[in-house]
Amino acid sequence: MSTTANGTSSGRRDDEQDPPPAAGVRLPWSSVPTELRDAVEERLGGRVVEAVTQPGGFSPGVAARLRLMSGERAFVKAVGPTPNPDSPGLHRAEARIAASLPDGTPTPRLLGSFDQDGWVVLLFEDVEGAMPTQPWVPGELSRVLDALGALAESLTPTPVDAPPVAIRFGDQFQGWRRLADAFRRGEDTLAGLDPWAHRHLTDLAALEDGWTTAAEGTALVHADLRADNLLLTHDRVLVVDWPWACVAAPWFDLLAMLPSVRMQGGPPSETVFDDHPVAKAADPEAVTTVLVALTGYFVRQARQPAPPGLPTLREFQGAQGQAGLEWLQTRTGWQ
């Protein structure tokens, strides 16, 4: 096991490689068209004199902390139709959710959003904080897990009109079935697929088919929790980037986050999940079924070409898939 600078165990083996970064190709504030920058300044009520790009996260657009001439601050996210044509839609979805979240939700407050000339711009309050330390340290992970439990409780039942999880991910959580179909058609030799997954591909594809029922619930979930979507202040844990929010079982966020925690040096997923209060009422078979679907998504996506502007995404998904497979072997007991 390796240790962090403060001497605590990181949960990583000494022979493990560093996980891939969660990073897209960030654009500088200066790349935003002049008309949009003027519109931002008009909405914020002052001239921007400093813009500091924030590197974490997969959006291929602008993400910057702004300082106005008055000294006031704001955080801006902006994306145009290139290089990734899907990004504007995700920003619009995030704006809708962020505008609807109830007061008290642990997330930066949305100051405004607008569309202009094919760009989508979101303005948030600027929060002085930092992403969790990587590799994960126990104290920060404990804070995040406590905050996740409080979030699940406060957002059940959902206070926001959001799509059910089956609609949000129904077209994506078919990884094992698509791999099995591609193999049967001779379109994919499955070269490089984990041997355990290859051996159990038929069983995984069959189990995956029931994930939509298994994940049903009434909680509003973030559905994309990772270290790069969390912000730690001295006394709070804030959750950012809500475009994938949907309605699901209250344990969905915990399950979906743990593969990234594990691959970023955290403890075994099974131990964390079973010990968490939000998982106490979860049906074990439902949890396994949703984990199968989530892992299949990561494994198959890692075999696809990188999307425009997101050069590290597939490697990141592949590492999450490996962590998911480790967890699945524990849960299923399959040899």
Side-chain angles (χ1 to χ4, degrees):
M1 303 284 282
S2 60
T3 56
T4 64
N6 62 11
T8 58
S9 171
S10 70
R12 299 181 65 205
R13 299 187 307 269
D14 291 333
D15 60 349
E16 285 184 306
Q17 296 181 342
D18 290 335
V25 179
R26 290 295 195 202
L27 300 177
W29 170 244
S30 59
S31 70
V32 176
T34 301
E35 295 81 4
L36 268 76
R37 282 184 278 147
D38 291 343
V40 167
E41 291 181 338
E42 180 179 353
R43 283 164 172 78
L44 294 178
R47 189 165 74 85
V48 173
V49 295
E50 182 184 52
V52 180
T53 295
Q54 304 302 293
F58 283 110
S59 169
V62 173
R65 300 180 69 184
L66 305 180
R67 181 170 59 85
L68 307 184
M69 183 176 290
S70 65
E72 295 183 16
R73 308 188 68 94
F75 183 84
V76 63
K77 295 178 65 174
V79 69
T82 59
N84 190 301
D86 296 329
S87 294
L90 291 175
H91 274 46
R92 293 186 188 101
E94 180 178 1
R96 287 193 296 271
I97 294 295
S100 302
L101 289 171
D103 293 342
T105 304
T107 188
R109 180 168 55 91
L110 180 70
L111 304 177
S113 65
F114 62 96
D115 279 47
Q116 185 173 317
D117 301 329
W119 284 71
V120 183
V121 180
L122 283 72
L123 298 170
F124 292 93
E125 67 171 324
D126 184 57
V127 176
E128 198 70 46
M131 285 170 40
T133 304
Q134 300 296 295
W136 281 93
V137 297
E140 290 185 353
L141 180 57
S142 180
R143 286 182 64 193
V144 167
L145 292 173
D146 287 347
L148 191 153
L151 188 69
E153 182 176 356
S154 67
L155 297 182
T156 305
T158 177
V160 172
D161 183 17
V165 67
I167 298 298
R168 178 64 83 195
F169 296 111
D171 188 50
Q172 300 182 54
F173 282 12
Q174 302 180 28
W176 298 121
R177 285 168 284 176
R178 288 176 173 168
L179 283 173
D181 288 345
F183 182 64
R184 282 193 294 269
R185 292 193 300 264
E187 298 171 357
D188 190 336
T189 65
L190 303 185
L193 183 65
D194 177 88
W196 182 89
H198 200 319
R199 196 159 57 248
H200 294 288
L201 181 58
T202 300
D203 295 327
L204 291 167
L207 191 55
E208 173 188 71
D209 190 46
W211 83 266
T212 55
T213 300
E216 285 180 351
T218 62
L220 180 71
V221 299
H222 180 278
D224 196 28
L225 283 183
R226 306 183 305 265
D228 56 288
N229 283 337
L230 297 166
L231 191 63
L232 305 185
T233 72
H234 74 283
D235 63 348
R236 293 193 298 167
V237 176
L238 301 182
V239 180
V240 304
D241 296 348
W242 290 76
W244 297 104
C246 55
V247 180
W251 45 263
F252 185 88
D253 270 341
L254 176 64
L255 180 143
M257 181 183 74
L258 289 181
S260 71
V261 170
R262 179 58 171 163
M263 69 102 162
Q264 291 172 325
S269 302
E270 181 80 354
T271 301
V272 178
F273 189 87
D274 284 350
D275 288 346
H276 198 284
V278 80
K280 295 302 182 184
D283 176 70
E285 291 186 4
V287 171
T288 300
T289 299
V290 176
L291 179 60
V292 166
L294 177 72
T295 303
Y297 167 75
F298 287 140
V299 169
R300 182 179 181 274
Q301 291 300 103
R303 301 172 68 84
Q304 309 307 307
L310 302 173
T312 67
L313 177 61
R314 299 309 188 205
E315 186 183 2
F316 194 91
Q317 290 172 326
Q320 289 175 285
Q322 284 302 120
L325 287 172
E326 175 191 67
W327 190 3
L328 274 178
Q329 291 178 56
T330 299
R331 286 196 70 87
T332 63
W334 298 346
Q335 299 303 308

